Amino acid sequence: MKISSVKFKISLIANIVAIVCLIVLGIVTFYFSKEALGKAELKSQSNVLKVAQESIINFQKNNSKTLENFAKRILSFSYDQLNNQQSLMENIGDDLKLLREAGGFLA
């Protein structure tokens, strides 16, 4: 009887040690996984913001360039071709409409 009691105590101690080790391993794994996921999410969000910033900058550059080129075209007309509303409509009205539709400009 004494031998089985010793075996039981050794087995119980070994199981308790294994359970404690598994709990510690689970906690450590959770902590490092949480850190890694946090860093990955931060990097992902940072990349999204960089792409959005580049898109906005490109949008502004393209719109500015388009409007500057159109302004040059308007300035190529003489004063007589632009001095009243009727002349403006005849000379650049269609161009303004096309610019607004093609470029997505509101005004």
Side-chain angles (χ1 to χ4, degrees):
M1 286 282 199
K2 206 172 193 185
I3 295 177
S4 68
S5 177
V6 172
K7 286 182 183 178
F8 177 75
K9 288 179 182 178
I10 291 174
S11 176
L12 184 62
I13 291 170
N15 284 331
I16 291 173
V17 169
I19 289 171
V20 169
C21 288
L22 287 174
I23 290 172
V24 169
L25 180 65
I27 291 170
V28 169
T29 302
F30 173 78
Y31 176 75
F32 285 116
S33 295
K34 181 179 160 187
E35 283 289 317
L37 286 174
K39 288 178 183 178
E41 182 64 22
L42 182 63
K43 186 175 180 179
S44 172
Q45 292 299 323
S46 176
N47 288 339
V48 167
L49 289 175
K50 287 177 185 176
V51 168
Q53 183 181 17
E54 288 297 320
S55 296
I56 290 170
I57 289 170
N58 287 338
F59 178 78
Q60 288 175 337
K61 283 181 183 178
N62 289 339
N63 283 350
S64 296
K65 188 166 180 104
T66 300
L67 291 175
E68 286 173 7
N69 289 336
F70 193 71
K72 287 178 187 176
R73 174 167 163 56
I74 291 174
L75 291 174
S76 69
F77 289 101
S78 69
Y79 178 76
D80 292 334
Q81 292 173 313
L82 304 174
N83 66 351
N84 61 39
Q85 188 172 358
Q86 184 62 33
S87 298
L88 281 170
M89 293 302 295
E90 290 172 3
N91 293 313
I92 61 169
D94 291 335
D95 291 343
L96 284 171
K97 183 178 178 187
L98 289 173
L99 178 70
R100 186 183 70 205
E101 291 172 356
F105 297 103
L106 298 176

